[in-house]
Amino acid sequence: MPINELLDELKAQYDKEFETQKIMDKKASTMMATAGTVITLLFGFGTVVVAIEPIYAQFNFVILSLLAAIIANIFSVFICVKAYYVRDYYFVAKDKSFLKKNPNSYNAKDDIAGLKGLDDDRIRHYIEMEESDFKLWLIRTYIAYNLINADNNDKKAKYVTLAQLTFLIGLVIIPILLAIVLHASSVGVINQ
């Protein structure tokens, strides 16, 4: 039956969207940790920059470069946090969608685990539905939720990409900063 193949394809796409979410969350988490480490190193490097005498011709550029690198990495961390907290994902059968009252008002051990809080009328509605009506509902739900979940993943991807670009900008500044500090050291304007 073609409808079963369509359902299988929609389920596969649905699962793929959640796998993509996990991958994007992992990337955002890794970027946060890496940028955080670089920020710490930059602050440590700042102690060397502070030792440069203000008479050095490139002194202001060194300070601005250091600040730019730190700000770029901090911005990268904030963008990763924003990416990580895109959480408006939809589930075909929410774990709490068949409960009688607000899920937050349940005592999980007593009400939910004991099946006391389940909405039997809502469950019966799906059981008594004609198979074709149920499959139509299921197909429409998968399509709608796949679109919503894909949109959320696209948002995460944009945030992670922006964070990566910002991080790379911060990384490009570091060798420039190092070259200037080495030059300052070679001309003897760093206080020991």
Side-chain angles (χ1 to χ4, degrees), residues 1-12 131-132 134-136 138-139 142:
M1 226 183 223
I3 197 164
N4 291 333
E5 283 81 17
L6 176 61
L7 268 173
D8 290 342
E9 188 61 34
L10 290 171
K11 287 177 191 176
E131 184 177 356
S132 61
F134 179 74
K135 285 185 177 180
L136 177 64
L138 201 54
I139 288 170
Y142 271 118

Side-chain angles (χ1 to χ4, degrees), residues 80-172:
C80 286
V81 169
K82 192 166 182 162
Y84 191 75
Y85 284 103
V86 172
R87 294 282 181 196
D88 299 332
Y89 288 87
Y90 282 68
F91 302 90
V92 172
K94 292 182 182 176
D95 56 346
K96 297 179 181 176
S97 64
F98 292 104
L99 300 177
K100 289 181 184 174
K101 54 186 176 179
N102 182 343
N104 296 326
S105 65
Y106 280 96
N107 176 343
K109 290 183 180 176
D110 297 335
D111 294 331
I112 297 172
L115 302 177
K116 297 174 191 169
L118 296 178
D119 187 347
D120 291 332
D121 291 334
R122 184 169 173 89
I123 295 169
R124 193 173 293 110
H125 168 75
Y126 288 104
I127 292 172
E128 293 173 355
M129 210 184 255
E130 290 289 325
E131 184 177 356
S132 61
D133 291 338
F134 179 74
K135 285 185 177 180
L136 177 64
W137 171 82
L138 201 54
I139 288 170
R140 291 177 54 83
T141 303
Y142 271 118
I143 291 171
Y145 290 1
N146 281 342
L147 291 171
I148 292 167
N149 295 344
D151 185 53
N152 286 330
N153 285 335
D154 290 345
K155 288 178 190 173
K156 278 184 182 281
K158 286 178 186 175
Y159 288 137
V160 169
T161 301
L162 179 61
Q164 288 173 334
L165 289 173
T166 307
F167 179 72
L168 287 174
I169 290 169
L171 284 182
V172 167

Side-chain angles (χ1 to χ4, degrees), residues 31-89:
M31 281 292 302
M32 279 189 286
T34 305
T37 301
V38 170
I39 291 168
T40 304
L41 293 173
L42 286 170
F43 275 109
F45 187 67
T47 60
V48 173
V49 171
V50 174
I52 296 175
E53 292 181 21
I55 60 168
Y56 180 60
Q58 304 297 325
F59 180 74
N60 289 335
F61 185 72
V62 170
I63 297 297
L64 289 175
S65 297
L66 178 64
L67 287 174
I70 290 171
I71 290 169
N73 281 284
I74 289 172
F75 184 71
S76 180
V77 168
F78 282 125
I79 295 298
C80 286
V81 169
K82 192 166 182 162
Y84 191 75
Y85 284 103
V86 172
R87 294 282 181 196
D88 299 332
Y89 288 87

